[in-house]
Amino acid sequence: QVQLVESGGGLVQPGGSLRLSCAASGSIFSSNTMALYRQAPGKQRELVAAITSGGSTAYADSVKGRFTISRDNAKNTVYLQMSSLKPEDTAVYVCRVCSGYGCYVPGGYWGQGTQVTVSS
């Protein structure tokens, strides 16, 4: 059973930075694409960023240039560095180990999420 534990969320002022961490158990981590999603109240869940086992990355247009996803396979951890945060970045951020077929199909494993609130 794969377990994911997110940390690093919190309250930050607009323009500030936060770094989210997602620690995964299990050997599945290093061979699968990892992704961070977010869901704001009343909105659909959005794929924010993803990183393949080889280190290729992809980002939602809304966060390009502000967020950076990285992974440390030795620590079974993925990181999301968020900078120049905006109020519209406020959401619950959820980590996912994507299916072996990728992130655009069901399956994989999900974390519980961590709240990020951007407000003055």
Side-chain angles (χ1 to χ4, degrees), residues 38-46 87-92:
R38 67 185 180 188
Q39 187 161 19
K43 294 187 177 181
Q44 286 191 333
R45 186 168 58 198
E46 174 188 22
E88 51 264 43
D89 294 318
T90 295
V92 174

Side-chain angles (χ1 to χ4, degrees), residues 8-102:
L11 173 64
V12 63
Q13 292 187 340
S17 298
L18 280 176
R19 189 176 81 155
L20 304 184
S21 299
C22 173
S25 63
S27 60
I28 192 174
F29 177 86
S30 62
S31 59
N32 287 53
T33 295
M34 297 291 295
L36 272 292
Y37 294 75
R38 67 185 180 188
Q39 187 161 19
K43 294 187 177 181
Q44 286 191 333
R45 186 168 58 198
E46 174 188 22
L47 176 61
V48 175
I51 184 167
T52 68
S53 59
S56 297
T57 59
Y59 298 93
D61 288 343
S62 58
V63 306
K64 280 181 182 176
R66 300 189 297 121
F67 291 10
T68 302
I69 190 169
S70 60
R71 66 192 292 167
D72 185 337
N73 289 338
K75 296 182 178 180
N76 284 357
T77 301
V78 63
Y79 304 97
L80 185 68
Q81 178 67 47
M82 306 184 293
S83 303
S84 302
L85 283 161
K86 305 175 181 180
E88 51 264 43
D89 294 318
T90 295
V92 174
Y93 285 70
V94 185
C95 180
R96 179 188 181 200
V97 177
C98 296
S99 159
Y101 297 100

